[in-house]
Amino acid sequence: MTLLAVERIKLFSTRSPYWCSALALILGVGLTAIIAGTTENGQMSIGLTQFGSSQLALAVVLVMSALAVTTEYRFSTIRATFLAVPNRISALVAKTVVVAFIAGVLGEIIAFGSWALAKVMSPTSDLAINTGAEWRHVAGVGLLFGIGAILAMAVGILVRQTAGAVAILLVWNMLLEGLIGIIPKVGVKIQAWLPFQNANHFLALGGADAAEQPGAGIDFKLSQWGSLAYFAGIAVALLVVALIVAKRRDA
């Protein structure tokens, strides 16, 4: 518990968590406000309320998570951390737990904040959360953000440089996985096993909005909860590799 408290204090002693959290809220909830404001009253759906959460807000959370560790390497404060806690794995796992928890809570705030704002702006729309799929689509955002934070922390530990880690995360999430789909014959098959595509599959609501949701047209081999487990497995596996590398190399 002491390590967790220390990592929480260290994280919030910098400005990046505050700025990134604010930006994620603005992008996630703000995009919902724009959609609700430009959509005819009564035509909003559960799927549209979360349009900004799984893409733009997630990208900011990935950046925030990577900064949590690369900033320490940049200013060499990680050396003081490892001197105070000789067990490097314990220190890095504590940091990852703190960042993942904050990312998960932020995801839930954005998801339910977007949904509540849509209900206020479009009162005649049917935005009641009744089915399991609808609960997964909204409440699942926090799970997705938490796992994404673990993956981003792993990349940050491996790369150690802010620019490199952020570039890898954003290009992979927002560009590369989508471009792979244009490879003739095998592109869509490869996409079915890519991490962020499976993350999107977990949140997919189906129904009338299915064609507009990320991952539409991909023949996923796993169930939606299976896709979440697969995404989590990749994040944890990458983190294990990062911890092993961090233990063996110089700080």
Side-chain angles (χ1 to χ4, degrees):
M1 294 300 293
T2 302
L3 274 177
L4 295 176
V6 169
E7 292 301 334
R8 174 182 57 80
I9 293 169
K10 285 167 59 180
L11 179 65
F12 286 104
S13 66
T14 62
R15 295 180 181 179
S16 59
Y18 299 101
W19 284 108
C20 289
S21 297
L23 182 57
L25 280 166
I26 291 170
L27 290 175
V29 180
L31 185 57
T32 299
I34 293 173
I35 293 173
T38 56
T39 300
E40 185 177 348
N41 198 6
Q43 299 301 312
M44 278 293 291
S45 65
I46 293 291
L48 288 176
T49 66
Q50 304 302 312
F51 193 78
S53 298
S54 62
Q55 295 296 315
L56 298 178
L58 175 60
V60 177
V61 168
L62 294 177
V63 172
M64 178 188 74
S65 303
L67 285 173
V69 65
T70 59
T71 301
E72 284 215 58
Y73 278 107
R74 178 185 177 187
F75 294 104
S76 298
T77 55
I78 196 72
R79 295 179 181 176
T81 298
F82 290 158
L83 285 173
V85 185
N87 188 339
R88 295 184 178 187
I89 291 179
S90 297
L92 292 173
V93 167
K95 184 184 294 292
T96 302
V97 169
V98 170
V99 173
F101 177 77
I102 293 171
V105 172
L106 181 59
E108 296 298 341
I109 293 173
I110 292 172
F112 283 98
S114 298
W115 170 76
L117 181 63
K119 283 183 68 73
V120 171
M121 295 185 66
S122 184
T124 61
S125 296
D126 182 14
L127 295 177
I129 306 176
N130 298 315
T131 67
E134 291 171 342
W135 276 107
R136 186 189 66 249
H137 187 68
V138 179
V141 172
L143 289 174
L144 188 66
F145 278 27
I147 297 171
I150 295 173
L151 191 149
M153 284 289 295
V155 173
I157 294 169
L158 287 170
V159 178
R160 299 200 290 186
Q161 295 181 347
T162 299
V166 169
I168 290 171
L169 290 166
L170 294 186
V171 170
W172 184 269
N173 176 34
M174 305 186 73
L175 183 63
L176 188 58
E177 287 199 3
L179 290 177
I180 288 176
I182 66 176
I183 299 175
K185 297 183 180 180
V186 298
V188 178
K189 295 180 180 178
I190 295 173
Q191 280 184 314
W193 297 104
L194 296 177
F196 289 105
Q197 293 295 337
N198 275 273
N200 290 330
H201 180 229
F202 166 68
L203 289 183
L205 187 60
D209 298 327
E212 300 177 3
Q213 294 173 12
I218 301 174
D219 183 20
F220 291 99
K221 306 303 179 183
L222 301 172
S223 67
Q224 289 178 290
W225 284 101
S227 287
L228 179 68
Y230 177 74
F231 181 51
I234 291 176
V236 172
L238 190 61
L239 179 63
V240 170
V241 172
L243 293 175
I244 293 173
V245 172
K247 184 179 180 180
R248 293 183 176 180
R249 70 184 176 189
D250 294 335

